[in-house]
Amino acid sequence: MSKSEVDAGDSVHPGKPVIVDRYTVAARINHWITAVSLVLLALSGLALFTPALYFLTGLFGGGQLTRIIHPWIGVVLFLSFMGLFFRFFRLNLWERTDSVWMSRMRDVLANEENKLPEVGKYNAGQKMVFWSMSLFILVLITSGVVIWDQYFGNYFTIEQKRIAVLIHSATAIVAICVWIVHVYAAIWVRGTIGAMTRGKVTGGWAWRHHRRWLKDLVTGKN
Ligand code: HEM
């Protein structure tokens, strides 16, 4: 028997249209702290990455302040993502049907979701965002500590710091790309943004995109 797709706080409200609670207030605040800190980190990090983008330091009060603030925002992102991780990891565990979903990307992009296995609370694409971000944020905080000279300068050799800078920047670029895909998908699948702004989606949205989740909710499987 497959696991229940229902999360704490999920519930269905009959009506016209049917409304389904998808995220609690706490989960939404947690997500938006993560989102804002990632955007600020990307802007301040890109400002330090290349002289061509140095002008972005103006947003943070100049070069010195950007250098001081950037690692602290990183700590905020790390802690807040840990919150998301423990909230969401259970329903992001990979299942056999996720591999089938991925292998039929053509149907996903053609909006032919009826031809695909029924999806639980998260589809395979969302799960990939979740796990890749988990890995990237771990790599970013670890490599970030190695190059945080103010506090950890004496603990690492110059050679180690050079390697860490390379890993840190390369991972940041890939994480920014994953973030762009995440936001694009949230906009592309109409009705999804409401999940993170109001915590709610319509029954039609849930039936179309996350049918197994809706069925588990309605049948009380939890
Ligand atoms: C401004 C930027 C962002 C927007 C507009 C956005 C939008 C959304 C939306 C609409 C959802 C709900 C999707 C659904 O329930 O089907 C969601 C879920 C989620 N978001 Fe974001 N997001 C943003 C930034 C981020 C960042 C920076 C991260 C992590 C580094 C992140 C991680 C997640 C996770 C883990 C979920 C739960 C879905 C899953 O587990 O795959 N988001 N986001």
Side-chain angles (χ1 to χ4, degrees):
M1 205 169 95
S2 60
K3 71 178 193 306
S4 161
E5 289 293 325
V6 177
D7 218 344
D10 296 351
S11 63
V12 182
H13 304 280
K16 284 187 178 174
V18 172
I19 297 294
V20 191
D21 292 337
R22 191 160 164 87
Y23 293 108
T24 59
V25 176
R28 278 177 281 146
I29 292 174
N30 194 165
H31 175 264
W32 289 118
I33 293 174
T34 309
V36 169
S37 49
L38 189 124
V39 171
L40 293 177
L41 267 178
L43 290 170
S44 54
L46 288 169
L48 301 171
F49 178 61
T50 160
L53 295 173
Y54 185 75
F55 69 92
L56 289 172
T57 58
L59 294 172
F60 302 90
Q64 286 193 6
L65 270 177
T66 305
R67 218 287 298 132
I68 291 168
I69 293 169
H70 177 81
W72 284 111
I73 309 174
V75 173
V76 174
L77 176 77
F78 176 68
L79 294 176
S80 112
F81 191 82
M82 285 233 303
L84 282 191
F85 184 88
F86 288 111
R87 270 175 210 287
F88 297 157
F89 88 91
R90 183 179 73 85
L91 293 181
N92 275 285
L93 293 173
W94 198 261
E95 291 171 278
R96 207 172 40 81
T97 47
D98 291 319
S99 306
V100 178
W101 195 92
M102 281 309 289
S103 67
R104 306 233 194 105
M105 196 38 76
R106 193 185 283 262
D107 289 331
V108 175
L109 296 176
N111 278 324
E112 302 270 13
E113 284 177 78
N114 278 331
K115 296 183 182 165
L116 297 162
E118 288 182 357
V119 170
K121 184 149 183 181
Y122 300 116
N123 64 40
Q126 292 174 300
K127 291 182 181 182
M128 284 174 68
V129 168
F130 178 85
W131 291 109
S132 61
M133 276 300 189
S134 305
L135 174 68
F136 297 151
I137 288 172
L138 195 60
V139 172
L140 285 168
I141 189 85
T142 312
S143 53
V145 164
V146 177
I147 53 179
W148 199 352
D149 266 353
Q150 195 176 354
Y151 301 112
F152 305 101
N154 294 333
Y155 298 104
F156 303 101
T157 64
I158 291 180
E159 195 63 22
Q160 287 168 334
K161 289 178 200 175
R162 283 183 182 148
I163 295 168
V165 157
L166 189 64
I167 294 174
H168 194 76
S169 339
T171 310
I173 300 287
V174 187
I176 291 170
C177 294
V178 171
W179 171 73
I180 291 170
V181 171
H182 175 63
V183 175
Y184 180 78
I187 296 168
W188 182 60
V189 181
R190 236 192 306 162
T192 306
I193 292 287
M196 271 308 171
T197 50
R198 286 170 289 111
K200 298 172 195 310
V201 290
T202 61
W205 181 95
W207 176 255
R208 183 160 179 190
H209 304 297
H210 298 273
R211 194 164 299 176
R212 193 149 56 89
W213 173 60
L214 184 65
K215 282 183 176 174
D216 282 1
L217 262 173
V218 172
T219 58
K221 181 178 169 187
N222 51 34

